[in-house]
Amino acid sequence: MMHRKFLRVVIVVFLLTIISLGLYRTKTLTDQAQHNPTPTGDLQRFETTSMDVFDSLTQITLYAENKASFDKESKVILEDLKNYHALYDIYNDYPGLNNLKTVNDHAGVQPVVVDQKIIDLLEYSKKIYATTNGKTNVAMGSVLSIWHRYREEGLANPADAQLPPMEELKAASHHTDIDSVVIDNENSTVFLEDPEIRLDVGAIAKGYAAEMVVQNAKESGTRSLLLSLGGNVRVLGAKPNGKPWIVGIQNPSLEDQDNTLAEIRAVDTSLVTSGNYQRYYTVAGNNYNHVIDPKTLMPASYYNSVSVITEHSGMADALSTALFCMPYEEGRLFAEKQKDVQVFWVFKDGSTAQTQGFKKLTEFN
Amino acid sequence: MKPLKPKNKTQHLVLLALLFAMAMVLALVENSLPPILPTIPGLKFGLSNIVVMYTLIFLGSKPALAIALLKGLFALGTRGAMAWAFSTFGGLFALFAMMLILFIFKNQSTYLSISIIGAVFHNLGQFLMVLLFYGVAMWTLLPILILFGIAAGVVTATSLRFLIPAFKHIHREDDR
Amino acid sequence: MYDDRRETATMTFFKKSDLILIVLLVFIALGVWWTLPWLRAGKTPVAEIYEGNRLVKTVALTEGQTEVFHLEGIDNVTFRLNAEGSIQFLVSDCPDQICVQTGKLSKIGETAACLPNNLLIKIVPRKFQHKDDHPDIIVH
């Protein structure tokens, strides 16, 4: 009799453990989706797009009370982005504005007084440089501009497309020391000590700007917003009903219909993908993308794409560039050292890999 | 062949435990396979449902019900509530379908037909769950699930073909 | 409870009539497969084509139709609607060719843009009824 009683107790304890474990798992998953309180009132979904900023497609999806308030909110976001774009532009001058091109043009000449937004970006970039061990370096402009020139020429004249000579790239790579970017906080100036050094914030600016713009929107009361700057996705909150945003990742190289590799449930986070499908040119039948590995000075070619999910979209942008330039083993170790960062790799053959916590983000519940 | 009749409670419990262990192993094997649809992690072809069929055939409906429910709890513990719903509903759906066939056709039914009906209804149960949870009928899934059900049923029946003589053997030793 | 074991004890493994069951199930499966396009009709997504911010054309991504077309007044860009229910930039005179390289679009949330020509294709749900399980955006 004692035995049977004991057995019963064991079974009950076992069942309770399983049930509580299950409930716990369910709860943590729903918590992610619902930690933003549902706003009262009926919010409607609105979308708009723009092709005016950051040389990419901007998409805004926003839940607002009515069309008028959506127009107001989205206009503020777009104006904000336009402002960031002008400041971080290295190709164009804007009358009455000191931007990164102004800073570049005064390399080795004199410090340039700039907007706080530029100082903040460059300070963030220096932090990122340390985090990524130099894989994401905004002071690589001299090397990138050579690639940029050859790519533009190659696209304009595909038959005569050339690769930049390695000597030219090597010579430029001697002028990429981020420490010669001198920031003077007191006088709000930036000075490039090395006359040959150039800033190119392409690896980080879109993500950083998206982050800042979304933070601004949050401060002015926006609760549910998805902002995509050419695939740099930043979401604010969940949808008003507590459901997460859904961000799909596709294999860029596959043409077939069902090429969605993963769907992320996103709440207050960002997803940035570095890939080779977007900007490339072809030399002698080979494609050369625009992500240049600082070590080899050549386009990185380990993957079709690398997606990074983390809250700060500037971080996600920078890390995705850095990881795109790392072989998988190295990248995996690097990714696992970062806090609250999930990574999804798509290899050349279409196979994928992911960090431990990534799968959880793809599950319904 | 006579049904397997455990002599006492202990033997009954041991048998049930063994079958449940088998169900868990099959569930783990299935978990390691790539999902049918990456977007619906709970959806499975139901390898572990094979055990429910065995139990129904060897031990009867009550123990089979127990296994189906336990299997669901295992899914709950390892994969969360959604998996529990998929597993339990699929298992119960399959079980009731098989019981119904047995009830209607009695011993005129065959192992093959019962296995197939069980597997197909297991998958239909999951389809209904998808409908319930996601509010969308993934019609593309339905034919695939039915065809896989037929295949799974054939596999189960074939393995029964080899297992039953073995069980018969145990049974004979029991009788002595 | 009704004891099934009495029946299973005297059951056979296989009878010819089982084939009827299998054939029947296969037919049901095929039947569903064949009626799929019909079931899907009316639920297919829609492609919106924008010039800048102006919606200039909507195309239902109905399966089985193929069409190559231009937008009025824009001859330097060609679009194609594909039979499997997708749409793409087929030819464009832009230098970077990003729009063409983006390939076929078929899923809600997908976009392809041609910035030099200020053109955008965007896949949206029919009647603007975005559901919670539709992707909000798809990235490459």
Side-chain angles (χ1 to χ4, degrees), chain B residues 1 3-4 57-61 102 106-113 116 134 139-140 143 146 150 161, chain C residues 1-2 4-5 7-15 18 21-22 25-26 28-29 32-33 36 39-40 133:
Chain B
M1 178 207 131
L4 204 63
I57 286 164
F58 290 130
L59 296 177
S61 35
L102 273 176
K106 305 247 157 41
N107 63 356
Q108 291 306 301
S109 46
T110 63
Y111 286 104
L112 183 65
S113 58
I116 291 178
Y134 302 109
W139 291 103
T140 342
I146 293 177
I150 297 173
R161 181 86 183 79
Chain C
M1 200 186 268
Y2 169 76
D4 320 275
R5 287 180 291 163
E7 319 300 347
T8 54
T10 51
M11 246 163 56
T12 54
F13 283 100
F14 171 79
K15 276 188 197 168
D18 287 355
L21 175 73
I22 294 180
L25 285 172
V26 170
I28 293 176
V32 173
W33 189 256
L36 273 181
L39 282 167
R40 275 213 208 105
D133 54 347

Side-chain angles (χ1 to χ4, degrees), chain A residues 91 143-154 164 200:
Chain A
Y91 300 112
V143 173
L144 296 179
S145 68
I146 298 171
W147 275 105
H148 182 79
R149 199 174 68 236
Y150 275 82
R151 187 168 57 241
E152 298 272 285
E153 282 165 12
D200 184 330

